[in-house]
Amino acid sequence: MSKSALIVIDMINTYDHKDADLLLPSARTVVPAVAGLLRRARRADVPVIYVNDNFGEWRSHHGELLEHALAGPHADLVEPLRPDDSSLFVLKARHSVFYDTPLAYLLREQGVDRLVLCGQVTEQCVLYSALDAHIRHLDVVVPRDAVAHIHGDLADAALRMMERNMGAHVCDSAELWP
């Protein structure tokens, strides 16, 4: 039997970057689905792992990133997704949740072999993370309504690639931990 983990990608965010204006509308639509996934995963005792960009702040830790995002103009997108005391947190510097992070080790330690990827950005960090999970022989699930995009056409193509080329299960978030 497989053990899942919910991976929340880059949702602790100030949205102070060059593509933010394009990302914000999509982020607003996925926050309720991600919040629902978080509630259901926690209720089902599924490990929740936030993997978040450190935004080049090499002296920061996850608490500081959260405080900074909650103090910003888009705190309404962060507050419903706030990590709880049981959440795990991994900082990343680049697109993939695996690139130069301890995530693979953490997953092995937890006995996880199935990742549910949610967050942002579908055509970048989610896609690259799905590929890196696939090459590590992990099963991948991507709830289409819980991933935000910058470019809708590229996000659609990324979801098709994850499904076709990586064997990812692309579904609606309501199908997970009902």
Side-chain angles (χ1 to χ4, degrees):
M1 178 153 170
S2 67
K3 181 177 179 185
S4 297
L6 178 62
I7 309 296
V8 182
I9 303 171
D10 290 339
M11 292 304 290
I12 308 302
N13 203 308
T14 60
Y15 297 94
D16 182 23
H17 51 80
K18 71 178 179 107
D19 292 322
D21 289 340
L22 296 171
L23 175 59
L24 278 164
S26 181
R28 288 195 187 290
T29 67
V30 305
V31 164
V34 175
L37 279 171
L38 285 165
R39 279 190 304 277
R40 293 192 309 276
R42 289 172 176 146
R43 197 169 39 236
D45 288 326
V46 171
V48 174
I49 306 170
Y50 289 78
V51 184
N52 216 89
D53 195 317
N54 72 354
F55 305 105
E57 298 295 328
W58 293 105
R59 290 189 176 99
S60 67
H61 58 77
H62 73 278
E64 288 176 82
L65 291 175
L66 180 62
E67 288 174 20
H68 190 62
L70 288 171
H74 303 290
D76 62 309
L77 298 177
V78 179
E79 180 60 42
L81 311 179
R82 178 189 283 260
D84 68 5
D85 290 340
S86 67
S87 301
L88 303 173
F89 207 98
V90 174
L91 290 175
K92 69 180 183 70
R94 300 292 295 169
H95 299 80
S96 172
V97 296
F98 290 97
Y99 182 75
D100 279 349
T101 75
L103 183 63
Y105 178 81
L106 173 61
L107 295 173
R108 279 192 308 276
E109 287 293 305
Q110 297 275 321
V112 170
D113 58 2
R114 179 177 181 252
L115 302 184
V116 176
L117 303 177
C118 67
Q120 54 196 21
V121 169
T122 309
E123 65 274 25
Q124 295 174 12
C125 300
V126 176
L127 174 64
Y128 305 150
S129 298
L131 176 59
D132 278 355
H134 174 71
I135 63 174
R136 286 169 172 79
H137 303 285
L138 296 165
D139 293 329
V140 175
V141 178
V142 181
R144 70 175 63 82
D145 58 331
V147 287
H149 62 269
I150 294 171
H151 302 287
D153 59 331
L154 296 178
D156 291 341
L159 288 169
R160 286 195 315 274
M161 287 173 58
M162 287 183 255
E163 193 168 39
R164 184 169 299 146
N165 298 347
M166 299 167 213
H169 176 61
V170 177
C171 62
D172 291 324
S173 63
E175 295 177 33
L176 301 166
W177 312 296

